[in-house]
Amino acid sequence: MVEKNVVILQRRMVIFLSVLLGMVLILLGRIGWLQFVNGERMTAKMAIQVKDSKVLQSPRGTIYDRNGRELAVSSLTKSLYANPSEIKDPDAIVPLLATLLEMKPEDVREKLTAGGQFIWLKRMIEPAMAQKIQTAIKEADIKGLGFLEESKRYYPNDNLAAQVLGFVGTDDIGLDGMEMALDKVIKGKSVEHSVDTDSRGTPIFKSIFTFAPPKQGKNVYLTLDSAIQFIVEQSLDKAMITNKPRGATVIVMNPHTGEILAMANRPTYNPNQFYKYSDQEWKNRAVAYNYEPGSTFKSIVSAAALQEGKLTPEERFTDAGFVEVSGRRIQNWSGESYGNISFVEVIKQSINTCFVQIGMRLGAYKLTEYAKSFGFGKATGIELPGEEEGLLFDPKDMRDSDVATMSIGQSIAVTPLQLITAVSAIANEGVLLKPHIIKEIRNADGSIDQEVTTQTVRQAITPETARILTGLMEKVVSEGGGKKAFVKGYRFAGKTGTAEKLQDNGSGYSAGRYVASFVGFGPVEDPQVAVLVVLDDPQGVYYGGEIAAPIAGEILGQIMRHLAIYPQITYQVPSPKETPQAERDVSKEIKAPPGKVVVPNVTGKSIREAGDKITQVGLSIVPIGTGVAVRQSIAENTIVDAGTEITIYFEPR
């Protein structure tokens, strides 16, 4: 009996061990199959199930003006995402999310039911709003939602230099202006970060939030001066109200370096909300607007004729009031005849008939050659997108009538930047420079990565010719058609322009539509700035000398005070009974019309003292820095509207 039981037990042990051994062999076979035969495919499948990746973007570099004032900055914001596979009942949370996110319920529902493991609900949410949303989600115990940090671009000065700066899209891609031109330079680094997830794709331990994004991109310093830019834009805003042009452009350049100190356009836009505006408002007319320059181009014709010996300043002309060339009749803008007249008067009064005579002396080839020498017909190469090249004749195809019209700045097209660059060459002793708007590029640690220096293009005319022409152009401002640009105590040179405007289809000129302009520079003794004002299709008075010249004069006067370039006038020593000039408050002696006030001088004052003085006269103060006032955005004794904001810059002393 015992032996029988032992045999049965042994048999059972053999069966058990055989089954166990079989299971082990099957398991080993399966492991071998998974490891060696199907290993790569299964590894990839597992990685998909337990790994996810998110591309994180570090902040863009900051764009500054030449003095270190921020023009475009980046900050971290929160973006809300959803894992649709985790949300069991989307309809239950749609009303709450639609309210919190200020979205249409149907849009929220579409996102939540899209499937997958990741979808953006709303991006670039301001911190205060993100905190409110986060609290509401937690209180409602909603699963499948989370926040990621993203970099958002801000423009602290709103529309200041908007077309120069451009804007950035939601995917941190520069879409216009410097943001687009320097996208690869200032854009932060993007890093694909691997995240551990569960089988549903949810990050384990919120590992994505522990990831430190890479350092920001390089910083850019522009040649712009924010104070000069503010002066220009304020003047442009007044011109838009007074003259009601379809568009307007002002450029301020340093003629000795080619640096752009200000570049402004109207209409304009706020890059913080660029999506609310049209592409015409985004357009940088300073580089992307082709127009006939009119009489401002006569400065180039004069330069060519003087340089070629076809003209002397003392020469006299006979003006009959009109001239006919190849069957085309050209008359003076005034419709008058000036008779026997010197060239000094010709350029002062911008007499068309005499400039036609000068152009005919030069001929098609020389006229075109000098136009090209001054940079027309070719893009300047400035670091801005969308630059146009303008339009010149091919001299071999020019008729005499083409030479005649080109001599008075018609039948050709230029950009505002080309024109101010050419006139700046006259101010720079005949040397044409390449204009630039980038001063330097710095790494995140502050070290200089790239410094942009002055680049000479060519010697367009000799220094002697440039000096003679400068003297003639000074007469235009002091005595001629540009005298509304005159600023007491300063010597400026310039040229006015009034050109008929082409029809939109290019088939001819539009009746009653003009482009009014003025270009000038100074002080004549050592030109520090050149200014161009272009008003496209103004309403009412349309002559450049009447509406563009006074804008330029206002801008030039304020820039001189901003740059501490003092008037070249002689003061008499006061008698003992008089108050010394330094102690007198000149602003109290100037009478402002109703609704206007005179800007006081607050240099040397503390923030409180400056604030009191500014507000007492009915203005608003915008303080920048600490210490005592060293500079103000609008110069003393300027008459402005009551309530105008005055930016005061303070520095420790």
Side-chain angles (χ1 to χ4, degrees):
M1 186 68 177
V2 173
E3 291 180 359
K4 185 178 180 180
N5 290 337
V6 170
V7 170
I8 293 173
L9 181 61
Q10 288 176 340
R11 187 180 299 163
R12 288 177 177 175
M13 285 291 292
V14 170
I15 293 172
F16 173 76
L17 290 174
S18 297
V19 172
L20 181 62
L21 180 61
M23 293 176 64
V24 169
L25 290 174
I26 291 172
L27 182 61
L28 289 174
R30 180 62 176 168
I31 292 173
W33 171 265
L34 294 175
Q35 181 70 29
F36 300 107
V37 179
N38 206 24
E40 291 185 5
R41 187 179 70 83
M42 296 304 294
T43 299
K45 184 176 181 180
M46 180 187 70
I48 293 173
Q49 291 180 342
V50 301
K51 290 282 185 183
D52 195 3
S53 63
K54 296 289 183 291
V55 176
L56 299 182
Q57 187 75 37
S58 65
R60 294 172 76 85
T62 301
I63 299 178
Y64 299 93
D65 82 340
R66 65 186 303 111
N67 299 311
R69 183 174 179 180
E70 293 176 339
L71 299 176
V73 298
S74 291
S75 64
L76 291 176
T77 60
K78 291 185 179 295
S79 294
L80 181 65
Y81 71 90
N83 182 346
S85 64
E86 269 197 351
I87 300 173
K88 304 304 181 185
D89 187 3
D91 289 333
I93 62 175
V94 164
L96 175 62
L97 290 178
T99 302
L100 290 172
L101 301 177
E102 298 177 349
M103 295 173 60
K104 294 179 180 179
E106 55 268 29
D107 292 339
V108 177
R109 183 178 292 104
E110 182 181 353
K111 289 177 179 290
L112 294 180
T113 57
Q117 298 176 343
F118 183 91
I119 191 168
W120 290 115
L121 285 179
K122 190 165 187 176
R123 303 177 70 176
M124 310 295 184
I125 305 172
E126 299 298 330
M129 180 60 71
Q131 183 61 47
K132 179 181 177 182
I133 296 170
Q134 201 164 18
T135 301
I137 290 173
K138 185 176 181 181
E139 290 175 351
D141 194 25
I142 302 175
K143 305 298 183 184
L145 302 179
F147 283 96
L148 294 179
E149 285 190 335
E150 289 194 290
S151 175
K152 182 177 180 179
R153 202 62 159 168
Y154 288 97
Y155 302 90
N157 305 297
D158 292 327
N159 66 343
L160 190 78
Q163 287 90 354
V164 171
L165 297 173
F167 51 86
V168 175
T170 54
D171 292 317
D172 202 37
I173 298 173
L175 300 178
D176 204 358
M178 298 305 303
E179 297 281 24
M180 182 170 75
L182 294 174
D183 193 51
K184 293 182 180 179
V185 175
I186 61 179
K187 187 174 184 177
K189 302 297 182 182
S190 59
V191 174
E192 186 173 1
H193 178 53
S194 181
V195 183
D196 294 327
T197 66
D198 60 18
S199 60
R200 294 180 176 180
T202 303
I204 298 174
F205 302 124
K206 304 296 183 183
S207 58
I208 194 169
F209 298 114
T210 64
F211 176 67
K215 293 182 179 180
Q216 69 174 39
K218 297 175 182 179
N219 299 319
V220 176
Y221 287 76
L222 302 182
T223 60
L224 296 182
D225 184 319
S226 291
I228 296 178
Q229 184 76 25
F230 179 83
I231 290 169
V232 164
E233 299 215 14
Q234 187 181 50
S235 295
L236 263 185
D237 286 336
K238 288 191 286 187
M240 293 300 289
I241 295 172
T242 303
N243 307 115
K244 298 179 175 58
R246 175 181 293 187
T249 296
V250 174
I251 306 175
V252 180
M253 177 185 284
N254 183 329
H256 294 318
T257 64
E259 293 177 319
I260 302 297
L261 302 178
M263 180 180 284
N265 302 274
R266 293 295 183 271
T268 188
Y269 70 102
N270 185 341
N272 289 307
Q273 300 174 313
F274 67 90
Y275 46 85
K276 293 183 178 181
Y277 300 84
S278 69
D279 55 358
Q280 286 302 306
E281 290 164 309
W282 298 343
K283 183 178 180 179
N284 187 351
R285 301 169 65 92
V287 299
Y289 174 54
N290 283 317
Y291 73 106
E292 292 193 352
S295 294
T296 54
F297 190 74
K298 292 173 182 175
S299 57
I300 308 304
V301 177
S302 300
L306 289 167
Q307 184 66 44
E308 288 295 308
K310 304 291 186 180
L311 172 70
T312 63
E314 302 79 19
E315 187 171 350
R316 302 192 71 83
F317 290 80
T318 299
D319 167 43
F322 69 92
V323 62
E324 289 192 1
V325 181
S326 300
R328 179 163 183 173
R329 184 185 178 99
I330 298 174
Q331 63 182 31
N332 294 324
W333 63 271
S334 63
E336 298 179 2
S337 169
Y338 292 86
N340 187 270
I341 189 171
S342 70
F343 179 67
V344 174
E345 290 298 319
V346 167
I347 196 168
K348 278 169 54 177
Q349 303 302 329
S350 196
I351 300 175
N352 286 341
T353 60
C354 299
F355 272 99
V356 169
Q357 297 176 49
I358 294 169
M360 298 303 291
R361 294 180 188 179
L362 284 166
Y365 283 89
K366 280 297 179 183
L367 193 56
T368 306
E369 176 188 327
Y370 274 91
K372 290 181 177 179
S373 184
F374 274 99
F376 296 104
K378 182 180 180 181
T380 67
I382 195 171
E383 314 95 327
L384 284 167
E387 185 181 11
E388 294 283 352
E389 294 187 344
L391 182 66
L392 292 178
F393 288 104
D394 184 333
K396 70 176 183 293
D397 298 328
M398 291 178 71
R399 299 165 298 178
D400 286 348
S401 59
D402 296 326
V403 175
T405 54
M406 183 175 174
S407 301
I408 59 174
Q410 292 189 337
S411 302
I412 60 171
V414 306
T415 67
L417 182 62
Q418 286 176 334
L419 186 63
I420 194 171
T421 302
V423 173
S424 290
I426 298 171
N428 191 39
E429 296 194 324
V431 179
L432 182 73
L433 302 178
K434 179 181 178 180
H436 63 280
I437 201 164
I438 297 175
K439 188 174 180 64
E440 60 189 24
I441 299 173
R442 296 186 185 180
N443 298 310
D445 61 5
S447 60
I448 294 179
D449 177 75
Q450 178 184 347
E451 188 172 9
V452 180
T453 57
T454 299
Q455 297 183 47
T456 298
V457 179
R458 69 181 66 86
Q459 184 83 42
I461 53 176
T462 64
E464 181 182 1
T465 299
R467 285 192 288 270
I468 292 172
L469 184 53
T470 296
L472 294 167
M473 293 174 68
E474 183 184 358
K475 294 285 188 181
V476 174
V477 176
S478 61
E479 304 171 16
K483 58 188 175 185
K484 288 195 174 182
F486 177 78
V487 180
K488 186 177 180 180
Y490 296 92
R491 297 172 58 200
F492 294 122
K495 188 72 190 73
T496 61
T498 307
E500 293 178 286
K501 188 174 170 63
L502 286 170
Q503 294 185 20
D504 294 336
N505 60 12
S507 61
Y509 292 102
S510 298
R513 299 179 63 188
Y514 299 87
V515 176
S517 59
F518 175 89
V519 62
F521 55 87
V524 166
E525 316 87 75
D526 182 20
Q528 297 299 305
V529 293
V531 174
L532 171 65
V533 176
V534 181
L535 303 178
D536 178 15
D537 201 10
Q539 304 302 301
V541 179
Y542 54 81
Y543 293 117
E546 293 295 319
I547 60 175
I551 297 170
E554 179 183 58
I555 291 171
L556 284 165
Q558 292 194 58
I559 292 176
M560 291 299 103
R561 290 186 281 273
H562 167 68
L563 297 178
I565 300 174
Y566 300 105
Q568 299 298 307
I569 58 177
T570 304
Y571 292 97
Q572 292 183 346
V573 178
S575 66
K577 294 182 180 180
E578 293 180 303
T579 304
Q581 183 73 19
E583 297 178 6
R584 290 165 55 192
D585 188 350
V586 182
S587 64
K588 293 181 179 179
E589 301 174 8
I590 300 175
K591 300 299 181 183
K596 305 282 187 177
V597 295
V598 180
V599 177
N601 179 13
V602 296
T603 303
K605 305 289 185 184
S606 66
I607 292 181
R608 175 174 290 183
E609 291 170 338
D612 289 343
K613 197 166 184 179
I614 290 291
T615 55
Q616 281 173 5
V617 299
L619 300 171
S620 299
I621 182 173
V622 180
I624 298 204
T626 59
V628 299
V630 295
R631 194 167 75 253
Q632 54 194 70
S633 61
I634 302 180
E636 61 177 299
N637 303 330
T638 303
I639 297 176
V640 299
D641 294 328
T644 298
E645 285 188 347
I646 311 293
T647 303
I648 308 297
Y649 300 85
F650 296 86
E651 292 181 2
R653 288 289 173 87

